[in-house]
Amino acid sequence: MPDQTSSAAPAGRAPDRSPDALPPRPRAAGRFGPRTLRADLGASLVVFLVAVPLSLGIALASGAPIMAGLIAGVVGGVVAGLLGGSPLQVSGPAAGLTVIVAGLVDQFGWQVTTLITVGAGLLQLGFGLSRLARFTQAIPPAVVHGMLAGIGITIALAQLHVVLGGSAQTGALDNLRELPAQLMNLHGGAVGVGLTAIAIMIVWPRLSGPQKSVPGALVAVGAATALSFALTDVPRVDLPGNLVESIALPVLPDSGLWLRVLGGMLTVALVASVESLLSAVAVDRMAQDRDGGARAVRTDADRELLGQGAGNAVSGLLGGLPITGVIVRSSANVRAGAQTRASAVLHGVWIALFGIVLVSAIELIPLAALSGLLVVVGLQLVKPADIRTARTHGELPIYVATVLGAVFLNLLEGVAIGLVLAGLLMVRRAARARVRVEEPTGSAPRRVVVEGTLSFLSVPALSRVLNEVPGGEPVRVDLVVDYLDHTAYDHLESWTRRHRATGGWVEVSEPAGTRTDRQHGRFATWSQWQSEHAEDAHDGPSAPMLAGVRAYHRETAEHVRPTFSGLAGGQSPSGLLLACADSRVLPNMITHSGPGDLFTVQNVGNLVHGTGALAAVQYATSVLRVPLVAVCGHSGCGAMKGLLDGVPTDMPDGALGDWLRSGRPSLDAWLAGHPVGRAGAEAGFEQRDCLAMVNVAMQLDKLRELGVDAELMGLFFDIRTAGVLVYDADGRAFRPHDSVGPEVGPEIGPEIGPGVGPQVGSRLPAALRG
């Protein structure tokens, strides 16, 4: 979506119009001021209520002084909130570092661990100054998600022992081994408190009603604490003093430990950096979805590392836990309506006041309640969506290996195993060719299709398939490959000679588009067709089209023939789409539809006007009985520019002038401050794009006046970003496709050939079916 914050005047001679007639200039998103303070204040209180129990629980699970969690919460809110590059992200102690910190505390003691936190912060400052944030994007998501899942399982196994009234063991394997004995020796009071916290954490998000505005973690800890007063022998939090009294400076390790200390610094810095940047990306997406795409929230990744580094350096100096960007707090911040970084800063201030003034309240909390909270938080790091995504992309072995390594070895070894396995799978995919045989039908020859990378590693598979072809038979070998090395070429050439010697016919071809077209993407322009297929066509304006027709018959017609054969008897489209005749607007591509799916009408300016458009609407609704009629405008529309340039009376003469005059009601509505136009301006669109959006809304109104018996939908195609926005009739604005209506329907199948988008015969996505 365009980033500009003012509407550019249309090119050419601009008409006179008063400033009041123009759409308002959008206000820059994320800027602090009186209008945002109220929203940020309310959001900060919500995040504070989420952060306090989590900070205490993470400190408990890390083996650190419990006030170290609150110190980290304060520093994460104030320091990282002020200096970081993600305005809506909230930082603090995170479950993702719990296992690492617990190991460091066990190895070096708490005060050396705070020194490691300081060193990790300095390394992050170096990462940010060196602009290394982009390299974190190279880590496979399956490794990152597997690492977090392994951490979550380790936390849950350890804290489950505390919930059951016992003590956590040193490793996940020990916790798993001792669990049966722990279940046989339950401690009544702690068990009841811990299970109460777990039950509330699980049930609370599933309840409906206004009570959901209260954070589930706060309700769980509060209810479990209340229950603990009716029970006996329930261990509670024991504090040495308030927040200020708990500040402790780091100490230096023994000289022989420095190498391991430096390794701990690097580990904390890397994990904290990756987790913070992943969280920031998710927060950006949540903020854009919340605001309907009206504001472009983008994290400055290098600045975010600087903010995280400064936060960790300060937290370690004050005796706090390491911090990262935390998705739980950040999502609460976004959902509560935060507008600027002031919300994160204020939440840190509230934690500081709580830790200084209300220490006695903290000491009422049972340890089992915090452990129950952490059991659920740990299990929430194992996300079914991540597992499904890894399976879809063929990376489930990487995810599982990383999880098992992190749980049963240690975090670094688990990540290393995942990265090594990811590299091996990449090499395997890059070096493996997929060879299949298509049996002959009728007089067609047997077809051998080779896809992928045909290297010496794939020769055994190729040889096995080719040797199964009977001698004397006609064979066509299609090399749909991106690389062919000399060994594979030599083997194929030798087999071709041998097969021809048996009397068989052999043709080896590389279908057009397997290499050359990839340089330009799947949709080559006519000029590219003309340059690449000049030998196939004579000179003149018709040459590119003739080249395209030839390419269609050579590469696509065979694939789509069965579909068109089934459609020869008639059509039953799922909808009518009225779009602009602009050459950049491709209705079937932007709706991901195939042959027979969509009845399309295109004219200048996508207007419901004239015999042609009205006849198409009548035919589609009365004869074809389509359930949906959609109108699609687009950015940079020449018709909308013509309307703007021609105000008030000097439209061009002839058919074009007559046609543009029919769009005058849309222009008048835009000048009068139509809500759709104002929303477009606030989203940063220029004047003619806002007019195009108003025009879509006006054409939908005209269809309603005509009594069209079908559901109506408005679309807007932003050419610069290739994004499609959907008209929200209730909000009188265009929204991102995934924030309006139901989710997209069934998955689209594989492509059927060059130049063809979705699988032929697929239906419209659910959002376009109505």
Side-chain angles (χ1 to χ4, degrees):
M1 188 173 291
D3 296 329
Q4 57 263 41
T5 56
S6 63
S7 298
R13 181 164 50 83
D16 293 332
R17 58 173 72 96
S18 66
D20 293 337
L22 292 174
R25 293 166 65 92
R27 178 175 53 81
R31 184 174 299 168
F32 180 76
R35 303 175 77 179
T36 63
L37 180 58
R38 183 175 180 180
D40 288 333
L41 184 61
S44 70
L45 291 171
V46 172
V47 181
F48 157 71
L49 295 175
V50 172
V52 168
L54 286 177
S55 298
L56 297 174
I58 290 168
L60 174 68
S62 301
I66 202 157
M67 291 300 273
L70 295 185
I71 293 172
V74 174
V75 174
V78 177
V79 177
L82 283 173
L83 302 180
S86 181
L88 300 183
Q89 174 154 270
V90 182
S91 300
L97 286 172
T98 300
V99 175
I100 298 174
V101 175
L104 294 174
V105 173
D106 186 59
Q107 241 185 319
F108 306 110
W110 171 242
Q111 288 186 285
V112 174
T113 300
T114 60
L115 178 70
I116 291 174
T117 302
V118 174
L122 296 177
L123 284 175
Q124 286 181 294
L125 288 171
F127 295 163
L129 292 173
S130 305
R131 307 184 70 82
L132 295 178
R134 63 187 182 274
F135 291 108
T136 61
Q137 300 171 0
I139 301 175
V143 174
V144 176
H145 297 151
M147 174 190 75
L148 294 175
I151 290 170
I153 292 171
T154 304
I155 292 172
L157 285 173
Q159 296 307 307
L160 186 58
H161 283 272
V162 182
V163 169
L164 298 176
S167 300
Q169 305 300 311
T170 55
L173 191 59
D174 291 334
N175 282 313
L176 196 60
R177 188 184 299 115
E178 296 296 326
L179 188 58
Q182 187 67 64
L183 290 170
M184 298 298 295
N185 187 27
L186 299 178
H187 298 271
V191 173
V193 169
L195 293 181
T196 298
I198 291 174
I200 293 175
M201 282 288 290
I202 294 173
V203 173
W204 193 259
R206 292 171 169 77
L207 299 178
S208 58
Q211 74 276 1
K212 286 189 68 175
S213 60
V214 181
L218 181 67
V219 176
V221 173
T225 301
L227 175 63
S228 69
F229 292 120
L231 303 172
T232 58
D233 192 25
V234 178
R236 302 181 190 275
V237 173
D238 184 18
L239 297 177
N242 62 29
L243 191 68
V244 176
E245 295 169 346
S246 299
I247 293 175
L249 294 176
V251 299
L252 297 177
D254 295 336
S255 57
L257 298 177
W258 269 107
L259 190 60
R260 283 189 287 168
V261 166
L262 292 175
M265 291 177 180
L266 182 60
T267 300
V268 173
L270 290 175
V271 174
S273 299
V274 171
E275 188 170 349
S276 296
L277 294 179
L278 288 174
S279 174
V281 171
V283 171
D284 289 353
R285 188 175 301 133
M286 284 188 290
Q288 291 176 6
D289 291 345
R290 180 195 68 182
D291 299 334
R295 58 186 255 168
V297 183
R298 280 195 192 89
T299 291
D300 182 334
D302 293 307
R303 179 179 170 182
E304 181 63 18
L305 287 185
L306 291 173
Q308 295 293 330
N312 271 316
V314 174
S315 182
L317 283 173
L318 298 179
L321 287 167
I323 66 166
T324 73
V326 187
I327 193 62
V328 176
R329 303 175 201 208
S330 301
S331 60
N333 194 40
V334 173
R335 287 197 301 266
Q339 298 297 312
T340 72
R341 63 181 70 245
S343 174
V345 175
L346 287 172
H347 118 278
V349 173
W350 309 145
I351 294 177
L353 293 175
F354 179 83
I356 295 171
V357 178
L358 297 175
V359 176
S360 57
I362 300 175
E363 293 182 319
L364 297 176
I365 301 174
L367 295 178
L370 297 177
S371 295
L373 180 71
L374 286 171
V375 168
V376 178
V377 170
L379 293 178
Q380 286 174 344
L381 292 177
V382 186
K383 299 179 180 178
D386 293 340
I387 298 174
R388 288 193 298 268
T389 300
R391 182 179 179 184
T392 300
H393 292 279
E395 295 183 342
L396 188 59
I398 300 173
Y399 178 91
V400 172
T402 306
V403 171
L404 294 177
V407 171
F408 294 111
L409 299 174
N410 61 55
L411 189 66
L412 278 182
E413 292 181 10
V415 170
I417 290 171
L419 290 174
V420 170
L421 185 56
L424 292 175
L425 288 178
M426 179 195 69
V427 171
R428 178 174 178 268
R429 289 167 181 164
R432 183 186 63 175
R434 296 174 296 281
V435 186
R436 71 177 190 273
V437 179
E438 296 181 359
E439 294 299 326
T441 56
S443 60
R446 186 187 302 268
R447 186 165 175 249
V448 177
V449 182
V450 185
E451 299 172 309
T453 298
L454 188 52
S455 68
F456 68 96
L457 296 174
S458 300
V459 167
L462 177 65
S463 177
R464 176 177 51 79
V465 172
L466 292 177
N467 289 336
E468 292 175 358
V469 177
E473 283 201 3
V475 181
R476 176 181 173 183
V477 181
D478 285 340
L479 299 180
V480 192
V481 298
D482 50 22
Y483 177 75
L484 175 65
D485 76 356
H486 182 264
T487 304
Y489 172 83
D490 185 69
H491 179 81
L492 187 58
E493 185 73 14
S494 300
W495 177 86
T496 300
R497 288 196 302 269
R498 291 197 304 271
H499 192 74
R500 285 172 178 166
T502 66
W505 171 86
V506 179
E507 178 187 21
V508 180
S509 66
E510 289 186 87
T514 59
R515 292 187 182 180
T516 306
D517 294 349
R518 282 196 180 94
Q519 298 171 1
H520 307 290
R522 289 177 50 243
F523 299 95
T525 63
W526 278 9
S527 61
Q528 289 164 356
W529 273 113
Q530 194 168 23
S531 62
E532 294 171 13
H533 300 276
E535 71 281 1
D536 294 339
H538 59 77
D539 294 333
S542 62
M545 184 173 287
L546 288 175
V549 170
R550 289 189 179 93
Y552 162 75
H553 280 281
R554 182 171 58 245
E555 302 170 19
T556 304
E558 178 183 347
H559 298 282
V560 300
R561 189 173 292 114
T563 296
F564 280 105
S565 177
L567 293 170
Q571 60 173 319
S572 180
S574 297
L576 161 67
L577 179 63
L578 173 61
C580 185
D582 192 295
S583 63
R584 299 166 294 179
V585 179
L586 305 176
N588 289 102
M589 184 176 72
I590 65 175
T591 59
H592 216 59
S593 52
D597 288 341
L598 202 59
F599 192 79
T600 56
V601 180
Q602 293 183 266
N603 61 39
V604 177
N606 47 274
L607 301 175
V608 182
H609 174 73
T611 304
L614 294 174
V617 171
Q618 182 179 356
Y619 182 77
T621 55
S622 302
V623 179
L624 300 178
R625 299 190 179 281
V626 297
L628 172 72
V629 175
V631 178
C632 180
H634 68 95
S635 62
C637 182
M640 300 302 107
K641 182 179 183 298
L643 281 171
L644 288 169
D645 290 349
V647 177
T649 58
D650 54 344
M651 294 285 188
D653 294 330
L656 181 57
D658 292 340
W659 182 262
L660 289 178
R661 287 186 188 93
S662 65
R664 182 58 188 265
S666 297
L667 179 64
D668 292 340
W670 179 71
L671 291 174
H674 195 285
V676 173
R678 290 201 303 270
E682 291 171 0
F685 285 95
E686 63 179 45
Q687 290 181 1
R688 66 169 163 176
D689 295 347
C690 296
L691 175 56
M693 293 177 175
V694 172
N695 181 54
V696 171
M698 294 295 290
Q699 303 312 309
L700 294 175
D701 290 343
K702 188 169 183 178
L703 289 169
R704 292 188 188 93
E705 293 172 3
L706 293 173
V708 169
D709 184 20
E711 183 170 342
L712 301 179
M713 170 177 278
L715 303 174
F716 181 83
F717 180 45
D718 184 4
I719 293 174
R720 186 180 68 85
T721 64
V724 179
L725 304 180
V726 181
Y727 181 50
D728 178 4
D730 295 331
R732 307 299 294 275
F734 281 85
R735 313 285 189 196
H737 67 92
D738 53 0
S739 64
V740 178
E743 294 183 359
V744 172
E747 281 190 19
I748 301 300
E751 297 167 2
I752 58 170
V756 180
Q759 182 181 9
V760 290
S762 63
R763 311 313 297 171
L764 280 172
L768 300 184
R769 285 201 304 266

